[in-house]
Amino acid sequence: MTRIDFYILPDTTLEARLIFACRLAETIHGKGYRLHLHCADRSMAEQLDNMLWTFRPDAYLPHAVLESDMAGSVPVTLGWAALSTPTEPTALLNLHPEIPEGVNDYARVAEIINQHQEVLLTKRACWQRYKQLGHEVVPHQLKS
């Protein structure tokens, strides 16, 4: 079964959640995983695409939106449509409110919860669903 890591942030803003997603993406990539960031929609993917260039002045995370020509040549992709089956060990950072079909095809899955009411509600439901499906769910309570 796929291991699911839930990162629980004390922040309430959606921007704080996306900034943490950038930092987490950098960490996951640094561990040698290919990574797909599954966004809620095109707008979130575009916002994250921009943030991945600017979240830290000294950071460089080679990434591309799945629709671009570069998507096949970079280790980090962003998308919002249905997941494709990965061809090698790949991690998924799920920023979509729901659990996507195909999550079992990924070596690791990360979810980010913050204290924004809508995120809390949708991610609590995801947590319960992962448990029902028999996944190992590991919480990481982060401090402010």
Side-chain angles (χ1 to χ4, degrees), residues 9 14 22-23 33 51 54 73-74 94-95 119 121 144:
L9 308 178
L14 296 175
C22 292
R23 292 185 9 231
Y33 286 95
M51 289 177 81
T54 61
S73 63
V74 294
N94 185 32
L95 296 163
V119 173
L121 291 173
S144 54

Side-chain angles (χ1 to χ4, degrees), residues 27-92:
T27 300
I28 292 169
H29 169 65
K31 291 183 178 187
Y33 286 95
R34 288 187 59 79
L35 174 64
H36 178 68
L37 287 89
H38 185 59
C39 301
D41 53 31
R42 177 187 297 271
S43 175
M44 178 187 277
E46 290 171 352
Q47 184 178 4
L48 260 175
D49 181 32
N50 289 328
M51 289 177 81
L52 284 168
W53 291 109
T54 61
F55 77 99
R56 225 184 60 218
D58 61 338
Y60 174 68
L61 193 60
H63 68 280
V65 175
L66 275 181
E67 293 182 340
S68 79
D69 294 336
M70 294 179 45
S73 63
V74 294
V76 178
T77 56
L78 298 95
W80 56 92
L83 296 179
S84 58
T85 303
T87 57
E88 59 186 88
T90 304
L92 174 69

